[in-house]
Amino acid sequence: MTTRSNNWSVQTTSAQALGLIDQGTKSLVLPTYSATTYQRDADNQYTSGNVYSRDDNPTYKPVEALLTELEEGAESLLFSSGMAAAVAVFQALKPGDHVIAPKVMYWSLRNWLLGFAREWGLLVELVDTTDLKAVEAAIQPQQTRLIWLETPGNPLWTVSDIEAIVSLAKADNILLAVDSTCATPVLSKPLTLGADIVMHSATKYLNGHSDVIAGALVTKRQDDFWQRIRSLRKHGGAVLSPQDATQLLRGMRTLFIRVRESSNNALWLAQQLQQLPQVKRVWYPGLTDFPGHEIACRQMPGGFGGMLSIQVEGGEQAAITTAAETQLWKRATSLGGVESLIEHRASVEGAGSPVPDDLLRLSTGIESAEDLLADLKSALEYAHH
Ligand code: PLP
């Protein structure tokens, strides 16, 4: 593989997948290495660097290198899912370590933290991470090892101030990790704001086509903690299939245009939906009166993302009927694909969720914004007729 030559913008780097080509064949599309095992040299060495595909796979290399470049990190690791990537960070801690995580976050990880992680001895504390005083008060000197943020936080799109929380964390040598799935490196770069690790559910915007489950971590430093995470992937075996890695790289080549289009659509829709009588409240960091909007302007200079939520007048049943009546918006979980998705979130998250029961989560795709609005409007009108 040849490497790129220089000074390209991140958009160019992404579209060109770092400008890499396969040296042997000159193929513009990089090969997928499906082998699980590699030949040892006659002198008992592995000079190729490849041994066994649970340790690592050459197909991952360009994907990880591209993500490292986009996030301005030191190294990346692909995982078999976003959850596998996130869980690896917590499993690299030790029993008795105290961790702070947001009250508003991806529900499945919250449940894992409150269940498995606590049973395994992590002292997990959920805090309103939009409130700096609450974060400061939760820090236990010498015992807090990690602060986990998710910003914007799923599904209320709460904005946490990464730089301000980095200052609190650094004073006590605490690691800061950010789930940046919904922001993507197009809109926000947590490592440049002082975070230590960035996590992505690559299933979402990085891949972008709702056909790969994948996760990734990017580190700012290749330190001992990072080596523990690498070792967890190798020994725990949460590895991505090489075919999925190739498909993910293809998705990442259109990341910039997809994310910008979704984000522009979402901003326009949020502004329009605010004016509809059937909509009680719109949750979107791009709205000027949204709490955290100013922080979002600073930390997401490229836009506010493709995710928004609405609370519907008339309560839970009106929300469910609205979702049932949309034609263009597909009723499905997940987010970050080119097609728009609508979901009654409380039905998914169940008891203990901070999500109101009249809330619909909208993952805005890259369709025409006017078509998306017309479809939502007619579903809302039906639900309130
Ligand atoms: N983080 C966020 C913000 C998510 O939305 C999701 C999935 O919905 C995950 C993490 C988990 O990712 P995966 O489904 O790839 O395991």
Side-chain angles (χ1 to χ4, degrees), residues 319-327 331 342 379:
I320 291 172
T321 306
T322 303
E325 287 303 313
T326 53
Q327 303 294 318
R331 278 181 307 286
I342 186 165

Side-chain angles (χ1 to χ4, degrees), residues 81-83 106 150 154 179 181-182 199 201 203-204 213-214 335:
S81 71
M83 277 298 286
Y106 174 55
E150 181 182 318
N154 203 339
D179 180 341
T181 298
C182 295
M199 175 251 150
S201 165
T203 312
K204 317 299 184 198
I213 294 277
L335 57 98

Side-chain angles (χ1 to χ4, degrees), residues 41-305:
D41 304 332
D43 64 359
N44 219 29
Q45 303 304 304
Y46 271 113
T47 44
S48 72
N50 302 309
V51 179
Y52 185 57
S53 196
R54 176 159 48 73
D55 303 0
D56 218 334
N57 184 302
T59 322
Y60 300 165
K61 296 299 169 199
V63 194
E64 291 172 341
L66 176 57
L67 187 58
T68 302
E69 180 103 359
L70 297 183
E71 289 287 6
E72 299 188 34
E75 197 177 15
S76 301
L77 284 171
L78 291 178
F79 287 81
S80 55
S81 71
M83 277 298 286
V87 159
V89 176
F90 293 98
Q91 287 183 330
L93 296 169
K94 306 223 165 108
D97 284 344
H98 177 248
V99 303
I100 295 171
K103 283 189 172 157
V104 176
M105 68 184 294
Y106 174 55
W107 73 289
S108 195
L109 184 57
R110 184 180 63 234
N111 286 350
W112 184 85
L113 285 170
L114 296 179
F116 286 99
R118 276 187 174 161
E119 282 161 23
W120 286 338
L122 284 186
L123 307 175
V124 178
E125 190 168 346
L126 300 189
V127 168
D128 175 1
T129 53
T130 66
D131 178 351
L132 291 179
K133 288 208 164 55
V135 177
E136 192 170 13
I139 290 175
Q140 298 177 14
Q142 316 299 332
Q143 212 177 7
T144 307
R145 277 294 318 282
L146 175 78
I147 300 178
W148 180 271
L149 297 180
E150 181 182 318
T151 182
N154 203 339
L156 301 179
W157 317 115
T158 44
V159 179
S160 300
D161 188 336
I162 298 173
E163 265 181 314
I165 297 175
V166 162
S167 313
L168 296 176
K170 294 303 151 206
D172 277 301
N173 255 335
I174 299 166
L175 291 169
L176 192 104
V178 181
D179 180 341
S180 200
T181 298
C182 295
T184 81
V186 178
L187 306 177
S188 179
K189 296 193 184 190
L191 299 182
T192 67
L193 301 173
D196 300 292
I197 291 177
V198 167
M199 175 251 150
H200 287 283
S201 165
T203 312
K204 317 299 184 198
Y205 291 99
L206 292 184
N207 181 60
H209 294 79
S210 309
D211 55 6
V212 168
I213 294 277
L217 295 174
V218 191
T219 185
K220 197 162 162 176
R221 287 176 311 279
Q222 290 157 306
D223 55 11
D224 289 350
F225 189 72
W226 183 248
Q227 296 319 327
R228 273 175 77 77
I229 291 174
R230 175 183 285 286
S231 168
L232 272 163
R233 185 183 76 171
K234 171 173 166 172
H235 298 292
V239 287
L240 189 62
S241 87
Q243 288 75 14
D244 282 349
T246 295
Q247 208 154 321
L248 174 56
L249 187 63
R250 179 170 67 180
M252 288 172 71
R253 297 178 80 143
T254 55
L255 178 70
F256 279 75
I257 49 169
R258 285 187 288 100
V259 169
R260 285 189 183 136
E261 193 65 14
S262 294
S263 187
N264 290 340
N265 277 353
L267 176 60
W268 185 78
L269 280 171
Q271 290 162 344
Q272 302 301 313
L273 290 167
Q274 252 187 336
Q275 296 166 33
L276 300 184
Q278 302 91 349
V279 174
K280 188 156 85 183
R281 179 163 181 193
V282 178
W283 299 76
Y284 187 64
L287 295 173
T288 51
D289 58 354
F290 189 76
H293 173 70
E294 279 168 27
I295 301 164
C297 288
R298 189 164 19 91
Q299 119 186 338
M300 302 177 77
F304 305 98

